[in-house]
Amino acid sequence: MKKSLALLAAAAAVVVLPGTATAAEGEPALVHASPQNGCKLNIRAAADVGSALLHTLTCTNYTTCVHAPERDLPCGQVVTGGQYTCVGAEGKQLTDNRWAEVLWRSPQQSFVAVGCAAFRS
């Protein structure tokens, strides 16, 4: 009986309720569109606006960053690619060339424009 209770207590200690967990440090973040850009964020086959459009994320659907967050980089390492414009986090027009690799068509590479994206850990 004591052994059963000990096992039950150990199992209960690791139960995590949905929606209450936070990403452990080092886990890749989720990326989605921001309301500032009409809840649309394009996933592209390469780090350039001229590359093939694979999918458009909304404010309510997500994909996962390939790399874990680093300091000021919520999606980890970025790639320098083609230039894009969008509305940035402060609501101001932004021109940038930083792209984040995401897990959309793994093992094929997929990218989103960092400056236009919103991130959730």
Side-chain angles (χ1 to χ4, degrees), residues 42-116:
N42 293 329
I43 299 175
R44 301 227 174 244
D48 187 80
V49 293
S51 68
L53 174 63
L54 303 176
H55 184 74
T56 300
L57 294 173
T58 68
C59 288
T60 57
N61 67 343
Y62 298 78
T63 192
T64 305
C65 296
V66 168
H67 304 288
E70 299 176 7
R71 290 189 191 158
D72 297 332
L73 302 171
C75 207
Q77 301 171 0
V78 295
V79 173
T80 301
Q83 200 168 53
Y84 57 84
T85 59
C86 62
V87 179
E90 295 85 33
K92 296 179 182 175
Q93 189 69 22
L94 170 76
T95 299
D96 202 349
N97 65 351
R98 296 173 304 138
W99 296 79
E101 188 176 356
V102 296
L103 292 173
W104 186 255
R105 290 178 62 181
S106 188
Q108 297 168 329
Q109 290 184 311
S110 305
F111 297 88
V112 296
V114 172
C116 307

